[in-house]
Amino acid sequence: MTGIELTELLNKSYRRWYLTGNMENGVIAALDLEGRLFTIVNGQVLNRVLPSAIEKRSNKNAYQNPGGDALWPAPEGTTLGYEYPTGNWRVPPSVTGAVWEVILSEEDKTVLRAEIDLINNQQTGLPCEFERHVKIETDQHVFRQNVTELIRYVGKKTINNGEFMLAPWSLCQFDSGERGRVVIPVSDEENIWDLYNSSKQQRFIEDGRLIVNTETDQRFQLGLSEKVDWIEYLPGEKFRVKRSVLNVASKHQYIDIADISPDKTPSAKGVKLSVYCDPSGFMEIEGCGRCPDTLTPGIEMSVDILTEYIVTDY
């Protein structure tokens, strides 16, 4: 899909959007689709795009997953997550219905903001502001997208350790298939683990690096420790994409982001990077920020995530 075709689809579906850069090399922010980002390189949208999910609307019966690159609150499951406050998995309507606005616009930089009130699985409410600070740069055959993902707690009550967990979580989606694979620059089990279903049959070691096949019959997700510097997705011959987590607050802690039962306590193993693969034909390379011990009014949780799109078919 071209960038122009995507904007035509957004217009047809009555979705607001904003372009950073241009239709040859740029980023489309879908303001009415959770503030998701869709990256354009050489005129083509490289992220996954699901047109039916753009045309439809999410509700409690069905979540419409349009693709792109999303900012979500972590964790997903466990007693302190945000997708099970009603008992069943769902994306909160405060996320799916958020009103994202452009609050700063420069030639190659855009800042997006939305007010999103969260309710965790213990029914604790957290009034928040979400921001995405998007910077882009084109260098020969590499398109660099640096996004500072930020969650600001704007409540008036101090929330103590044990009552909450909260960190910015960036999920970047692509189509997957028989040829798609992920490269991870470590091979030891200490720094790589399954968050739920086993992925043993999907991965192998090559030249001291872990290779993950993304075509799968069951969904799985790998958690990667803070010792892992980057992950890279190779969907085929046209491009590859590398994702790194840069600056984070060192005094804060990485957390368990797993999609597991809301009656289970979070693991002590914190996730910095993650790989998710789904049998429906898509995958995600994910980056996470850290969580503070205490939520005080105005505190910010942020992470800088660099995503590099490297063109290989020139």
Side-chain angles (χ1 to χ4, degrees):
M1 177 178 287
T2 67
I4 292 175
E5 288 171 338
L6 176 56
T7 57
E8 289 175 347
L9 175 62
L10 292 168
N11 289 335
K12 177 184 175 183
S13 305
Y14 303 100
R15 306 285 196 176
R16 294 175 304 128
W17 56 272
Y18 187 84
L19 176 66
T20 304
N22 54 58
M23 284 296 179
E24 185 65 17
N25 295 289
V27 176
I28 295 171
L31 301 175
D32 294 330
L33 289 169
E34 304 164 22
R36 288 180 181 242
L37 309 176
F38 294 86
T39 301
I40 313 165
V41 178
N42 294 338
Q44 298 294 314
V45 178
L46 299 188
N47 300 102
R48 169 181 166 87
V49 179
L50 189 62
S52 62
I54 293 175
E55 295 167 347
K56 299 177 183 178
R57 299 296 191 267
S58 293
N59 55 42
K60 66 179 180 179
N61 299 315
Y63 173 61
Q64 305 298 330
N65 190 336
D69 180 338
L71 168 59
W72 272 17
E76 184 167 5
T78 78
T79 56
L80 298 174
Y82 299 98
E83 269 68 48
Y84 290 92
T86 61
N88 295 318
W89 185 91
R90 67 166 186 167
V91 181
S94 60
V95 171
T96 60
V99 179
W100 285 86
E101 298 178 301
V102 178
I103 63 168
L104 184 148
S105 176
E106 298 177 359
E107 183 178 0
D108 294 322
K109 178 180 178 181
T110 301
V111 178
L112 313 173
R113 178 186 293 162
E115 295 181 55
I116 298 177
D117 291 346
L118 300 172
I119 301 173
N120 70 19
N121 295 335
Q122 292 187 349
Q123 307 297 293
T124 300
L126 307 176
C128 296
E129 291 177 338
F130 283 38
E131 290 184 0
R132 313 193 77 182
H133 298 236
V134 182
K135 299 177 184 178
I136 63 171
E137 174 186 322
T138 303
D139 180 13
Q140 294 185 332
H141 303 292
V142 181
F143 181 86
R144 294 185 178 88
Q145 177 178 306
N146 191 310
V147 181
T148 299
E149 308 281 28
L150 183 149
I151 299 177
R152 180 183 300 111
Y153 172 62
V154 296
K156 298 302 181 183
K157 176 185 176 182
T158 296
I159 310 294
N160 297 313
N161 187 28
E163 298 179 79
F164 83 100
M165 280 183 121
L166 181 59
W169 179 18
S170 179
L171 308 90
C172 194
Q173 284 190 17
F174 299 93
D175 292 320
S176 62
E178 182 179 353
R179 301 179 63 189
R181 63 178 187 166
V182 176
V183 178
I184 302 171
V186 293
S187 59
D188 55 290
E189 294 294 327
E190 177 185 354
N191 294 304
I192 305 167
W193 62 95
D194 287 305
L195 296 184
Y196 34 88
N197 295 327
S198 173
S199 65
K200 293 289 187 180
Q201 71 278 10
Q202 301 293 135
R203 46 190 171 112
F204 60 93
I205 304 298
E206 183 177 273
D207 298 328
R209 295 178 175 181
L210 184 70
I211 309 299
V212 183
N213 291 321
T214 62
E215 186 176 45
T216 179
D217 293 329
Q218 68 170 1
R219 72 185 193 118
F220 68 87
Q221 187 169 11
L222 288 171
L224 311 178
S225 81
E226 60 184 298
K227 293 184 180 179
V228 181
D229 293 327
W230 51 264
I231 48 181
E232 188 171 48
Y233 180 48
L234 290 74
E237 297 180 352
K238 292 186 177 182
F239 73 97
R240 53 192 175 92
V241 55
K242 183 177 181 180
R243 180 161 261 214
S244 309
V245 171
L246 305 179
N247 300 327
V248 290
S250 59
K251 294 181 180 179
H252 299 173
Q253 300 295 320
Y254 287 112
I255 61 173
D256 180 13
I257 66 171
D259 177 13
I260 58 177
S261 173
D263 60 5
K264 291 187 178 180
T265 303
S267 166
K269 299 179 75 171
V271 175
K272 173 184 174 183
L273 292 159
S274 180
V275 178
Y276 174 78
C277 294
D278 195 274
S280 65
F282 78 92
M283 62 83 64
E284 295 172 341
I285 47 177
E286 307 173 354
C288 301
R290 300 184 192 235
C291 175
D293 287 335
T294 304
L295 278 187
T296 54
I299 193 171
E300 295 179 351
M301 293 131 284
S302 67
V303 58
D304 289 345
I305 296 183
L306 175 63
T307 308
E308 299 173 282
Y309 293 85
I310 303 152
V311 178
T312 55
D313 67 343
Y314 51 85

